[in-house]
Amino acid sequence: MNKPVTKLGVDYGPEEAAMQAYLRQGEARAFALGNRGPLRLGPDGRIHPEILEAYWRCGFYVFEGVLPAEELADIEADIHAILDRLPVERGAPLDAQGRPALAADCEAPTLFWAKPLGDPMGGTAAANGRHPVKMFEPKASSDAPREIVYLILGSLQFSEAHLRVYGHPGLLAMAAAVNGDDFVPFNEALFIKEPGRGASVAWHQDGVTHWGSPDWDEGTHGFNFMAQLYGCTPANGVWVVPGSHKLGKIDIKARIAAVGTERLPDAVPIVCKPGDVAITNRQTVHGSFANTSPDWRVTLNFGFHRRRSVLGVEAGGVHNARAVYDAARIRERARVIGYAIDARRQRFPGETPYVYRPHAEAGETWRWDAAAKVGMKDYNLLDLSI
């Protein structure tokens, strides 16, 4: 799986030359931004202010070399196990070996399917219509399956390695630096971009609430971390329009119409090596292209919000049923942070665990054990989606 396919026989057809030029130019723009480097702490033990300046300026940042080889091996083993357990087709109860398929007994939305190299969201009413324009869909090879799984939600229940990344002390310190010490969860997912088959995600801004609120600002809708197992390239990675998180709700359809192509000229790709972790503001205009390249992208996605953006808010409808997010729901969903910190402590005992302030102030301790693992089933029904 981690060995590149050398010849795929798929490309962007009549758009191939323009696409390749766009990828090269976008990469050059990305590396000129000055928003990448190691995860550094200042003398006060908090995230270095230069990192925060670059994040708020650009709307994203690439932390280099966060996950060591040992941890990447754990993640890869879990990913193989997950892919082996996928249903043979949409809705099937069994995997290819006749075992109960992954998520077959889940109530929460979990597996998302697309045709190879397709764009399942663009130009549809899905996710409240936030993907207004369909991306170019290259022609897949004749041996491609009818559908592929490109997105898995609620992924912490399927991968302890992902749970341990979720509890990474440096990343949680960044969550606190951006969203405050009382930050709360959003949701978690696995994005899978298979060579020659991976689907696109049309340009969009996350967030369905707060856009017209008088206290809206550039951080209202939180952020996502994107931990990279194999790295990501301009061809298979997420693209971002730098600074767009500061501009409010953007008419993406008009922007694309103005330039006559979905290759937005001011966008840049997030380029990572294995073990790098990017952070992306959810309000940026962002998306990704169909993966005609020979490289896998496997992204461990997990996000966090400000507590004040969530508490008392009626939201949902994208990742979960509509509900008012009260303190009891936030507390129940935030138990996953406690589980993640303890799971990481057990696997990496030489590392200083993160102290999550709401748990410390409440005198709560959370233990990752067999009972906790059972209790994670369908935990994402309580996602805090705004």
Side-chain angles (χ1 to χ4, degrees):
M1 178 174 167
N2 55 343
K3 294 181 180 178
V5 179
T6 56
K7 209 168 185 179
L8 296 174
V10 294
D11 59 26
Y12 271 73
E15 299 292 315
E16 178 68 10
M19 189 67 186
Q20 291 302 320
Y22 180 72
L23 299 182
R24 291 191 299 271
Q25 293 160 6
E27 184 171 22
R29 292 194 301 272
F31 278 92
L33 288 173
N35 63 336
R36 59 191 307 123
L39 207 169
R40 294 182 292 148
L41 302 179
D44 60 354
R46 292 184 172 266
I47 295 297
H48 198 286
E50 291 177 357
I51 292 173
L52 293 174
E53 182 281 324
Y55 167 73
W56 288 118
R57 172 170 51 86
C58 299
F60 75 102
Y61 194 92
V62 178
F63 292 112
E64 297 176 327
V66 176
L67 306 178
E70 178 184 18
E71 190 162 6
L72 292 178
D74 289 349
I75 296 167
E76 184 173 47
D78 278 5
I79 294 299
H80 279 293
I82 286 169
L83 296 182
D84 286 346
R85 291 182 54 209
L86 291 178
V88 291
E89 61 182 8
R90 186 196 296 253
L94 303 178
D95 66 15
Q97 299 182 44
R99 301 169 298 184
L102 186 85
D105 60 345
C106 285
E107 178 186 347
T110 305
L111 303 182
F112 288 74
W113 299 75
K115 69 178 183 180
L117 301 179
D119 174 6
M121 297 283 195
T124 74
N128 291 340
R130 69 183 182 186
H131 306 79
V133 177
K134 184 173 282 293
M135 302 289 256
F136 181 85
E137 296 181 317
K139 184 178 179 181
S141 62
S142 59
D143 62 345
R146 184 169 59 88
E147 287 188 304
I148 56 165
V149 172
Y150 73 98
L151 172 63
I152 303 174
L153 296 183
S155 47
L156 301 185
Q157 66 190 298
F158 307 123
S159 170
E160 289 191 39
H162 191 176
L163 182 71
R164 293 191 291 266
V165 175
Y166 189 80
H168 190 287
L171 298 178
L172 293 179
M174 183 65 177
V178 172
N179 288 334
D181 290 332
D182 59 350
F183 65 89
V184 300
F186 160 43
N187 87 333
E188 302 80 42
L190 290 173
F191 277 93
I192 301 168
K193 286 269 200 176
E194 185 176 350
R197 296 178 180 176
S200 60
V201 178
W203 295 109
H204 65 288
Q205 292 172 288
D206 296 329
V208 296
T209 62
H210 294 82
W211 287 112
S213 173
D215 62 352
W216 178 93
D217 65 30
E218 62 191 30
T220 294
H221 288 103
F223 68 83
N224 282 315
F225 283 124
M226 295 183 289
Q228 306 298 338
L229 175 57
Y230 300 124
C232 51
T233 68
N236 67 19
V238 173
W239 286 61
V240 178
V241 177
S244 54
H245 61 299
K246 302 173 181 285
L247 304 179
K249 193 65 174 172
I250 294 170
D251 189 339
I252 294 173
K253 191 171 185 178
R255 277 202 173 197
I256 291 174
V259 297
T261 173
E262 70 271 27
R263 295 187 292 272
L264 293 176
D266 49 351
V268 300
I270 296 177
V271 182
C272 296
K273 294 179 179 179
D276 290 355
V277 180
I279 177 175
T280 306
N281 189 297
R282 296 183 68 239
Q283 292 172 179
T284 60
V285 174
H286 60 285
S288 65
F289 299 96
N291 184 20
T292 60
S293 83
D295 302 310
W296 282 87
R297 173 163 73 89
V298 175
T299 299
L300 283 62
N301 214 77
F302 51 107
F304 296 99
H305 290 308
R306 297 170 176 169
R307 183 181 177 89
R308 68 178 184 272
S309 289
V310 173
L311 181 61
V313 172
E314 181 177 3
V318 175
H319 300 94
N320 48 270
R322 292 191 178 278
V324 175
Y325 300 146
D326 60 15
R329 175 165 176 154
I330 292 172
R331 177 187 177 277
E332 175 66 12
R333 186 59 174 79
R335 70 192 165 99
V336 178
I337 297 175
Y339 289 152
I341 291 170
D342 191 58
R344 188 168 188 92
R345 178 193 61 78
Q346 294 177 41
R347 179 67 178 86
F348 302 107
E351 194 175 80
T352 301
Y354 183 78
V355 177
Y356 180 51
R357 193 181 77 177
H359 288 168
E361 291 180 345
E364 295 176 335
T365 57
W366 299 88
R367 175 73 177 174
W368 180 246
D369 54 21
K373 187 172 183 177
V374 171
M376 285 286 285
K377 184 175 181 294
D378 274 331
Y379 77 95
N380 54 313
L381 286 170
L382 298 179
D383 283 351
L384 301 171
S385 175
I386 59 169

